[in-house]
Amino acid sequence: MELKLTDLTKQFKEMTAVDGVSCTMESGVYGLLGVNGAGKTTLMRMLCTLITPTSGQIAWDGRDIFSMGEEYRRILGYLPQEFGFYPDFTVEDYLLYVASIKGLRPATARKRAGFLLKQVGLLKAKDQKMKKLSGGMKRRAGIAQAMLNDPRILILDEPTAGLDPTERIRFRNLISELSEDRIVLLSTHIVSDIEYIAGEILLMKDGRIVRQGTAEQLISSMPERVWSLTVTKAEAERCMRRYKVANMKTVHDGVELRILSETPPAVGSKSMGNGKEACRPVPEPATLEDVFLHYFGERTGEDHGLV
């Protein structure tokens, strides 16, 4: 089982949405992490054969996916950011309708739909109309439709968009359950969506894969270190212009900052105005969120202040 991308590029007139992407995926969960506009959706739409690349190749077990045609689509499951449904269909009718489009026989479709409704936690809601479902329940129905053909490749584009924290956790657990013996590619701009379930993470920026590896590998490869310190509000504003600030918190004696910097942040003002001095920077263990800030974040800039 191998999905291989080689020098994959997609251009739209003057804009290059995907720029020379190469990677190889085998069984497991892959997280495609990047800010909005990084090219994630364009890449996934090419993987689903919805758009063709300008150049490069996508191969499944050595065969070009566009030449495979329907044979490739039979092993593919796809959940786009926004998926269409008939609002007056019940959940079960929706799945049976999608199953008919995918070419499943009625008896097989009904059995598969029942199995998936139980797996995604919607069995009790199978007779509810789609328009009555919560956002999280609709996303679970979306996962179920993507899994109807028991795909070898499951592609999920921003699957947790709009979900509350409880539904996010439920969704991540569900993805982990579904990942056995298949390739799952999940795109997101939210670190927590993939931090604990993705065996491999691909960081995408400006259409390119800028770094790839496990969470631990990405953290260890980051040249910047993480520092915490407490400073005055005025000094915090200077730090935000000078450094990448991962977090800030107003406390009774100043502002606590979490800063990314290769060297200890230089604190210019020592006095806190209450008889105390600004604390010295203390090194902290890095997280995947710090990696995200390293690759995608910017200093606040001269025209920004504290909120």
Side-chain angles (χ1 to χ4, degrees):
M1 184 187 302
E2 180 185 85
L3 186 63
K4 186 173 184 179
L5 286 61
T6 306
D7 294 328
L8 196 66
T9 297
K10 181 62 180 181
Q11 291 180 306
F12 296 99
K13 295 183 178 179
E14 302 299 320
M15 184 188 74
T16 302
V18 175
D19 190 2
V21 169
S22 295
C23 66
T24 300
M25 289 176 275
E26 299 176 339
S27 179
V29 179
Y30 292 80
L32 183 63
L33 183 62
V35 297
N36 292 329
K40 303 188 301 297
T41 295
T42 300
L43 177 61
M44 291 193 147
R45 286 173 65 82
M46 286 192 285
L47 289 169
C48 294
T49 69
L50 295 174
I51 55 177
T52 56
T54 304
S55 61
Q57 185 188 47
I58 307 171
W60 170 252
D61 285 344
R63 300 171 62 192
D64 182 86
I65 66 170
F66 291 94
S67 65
M68 290 175 67
E70 186 61 32
E71 183 183 355
Y72 175 74
R73 285 185 283 274
R74 281 199 297 268
I75 63 169
L76 179 70
Y78 177 44
L79 176 62
Q81 283 182 265
E82 300 292 337
F83 66 97
F85 56 85
Y86 291 106
D88 288 321
F89 274 21
T90 66
V91 178
E92 185 177 42
D93 286 343
Y94 165 68
L95 292 183
L96 294 176
Y97 170 70
V98 175
S100 68
I101 294 175
K102 293 188 175 186
L104 274 68
R105 293 180 178 178
T108 303
R110 191 166 293 278
K111 182 178 180 180
R112 184 71 179 157
F115 171 79
L116 289 169
L117 284 168
K118 183 178 180 180
Q119 190 170 26
V120 302
L122 288 178
L123 191 58
K124 293 182 178 179
K126 69 184 181 70
D127 295 322
Q128 286 190 35
K129 291 185 176 181
M130 290 291 293
K131 65 182 179 182
K132 298 290 186 180
L133 301 183
S134 67
M137 294 171 78
K138 286 177 182 174
R139 301 309 285 181
R140 281 185 267 155
I143 277 285
Q145 66 81 25
M147 290 292 297
L148 279 167
N149 56 329
D150 195 17
R152 306 294 301 282
I153 305 168
L154 181 60
I155 295 179
L156 311 171
D157 193 1
E158 299 281 359
T160 65
L163 301 189
D164 63 37
T166 301
E167 282 289 358
R168 285 183 184 278
I169 294 170
R170 180 197 289 268
F171 205 91
R172 292 198 296 266
N173 292 340
L174 176 59
I175 298 306
S176 291
E177 291 177 16
L178 297 175
S179 64
E180 187 175 358
D181 297 327
R182 76 182 86 243
I183 294 171
V184 179
L185 178 60
L186 185 160
S187 86
T188 184
H189 62 280
I190 302 169
V191 172
S192 60
D193 282 353
I194 60 172
E195 187 169 11
Y196 301 109
I197 64 170
E200 191 96 356
I201 299 170
L202 296 81
L203 301 181
M204 192 169 191
K205 182 177 182 180
D206 298 330
R208 294 176 174 270
I209 302 299
V210 295
R211 182 70 68 174
Q212 178 178 351
T214 65
E216 293 77 12
Q217 289 170 337
L218 294 177
I219 290 170
S220 64
S221 69
M222 189 175 70
E224 294 175 309
R225 298 180 64 187
V226 182
W227 310 87
S228 65
L229 69 161
T230 302
V231 297
T232 64
K233 183 175 179 180
E235 184 63 28
E237 290 176 335
R238 285 190 285 272
C239 286
M240 291 184 71
R241 290 193 293 268
R242 188 172 180 181
Y243 301 105
K244 293 177 182 176
V245 178
N247 192 45
M248 57 176 290
K249 178 182 178 182
T250 301
V251 293
H252 71 281
D253 57 353
V255 180
E256 288 182 358
L257 298 178
R258 183 180 177 90
I259 289 176
L260 270 62
S261 174
E262 293 187 33
T263 58
V267 180
S269 174
K270 296 289 185 182
S271 174
M272 300 288 289
N274 55 4
K276 296 182 180 180
E277 289 187 347
C279 72
R280 294 181 178 180
V282 176
E284 299 280 355
T287 67
L288 194 58
E289 284 194 348
D290 297 321
V291 174
F292 187 89
L293 178 63
H294 168 71
Y295 284 102
F296 304 110
E298 297 177 354
R299 296 177 183 83
T300 304
E302 294 289 343
D303 57 341
H304 293 262
L306 294 179
V307 177

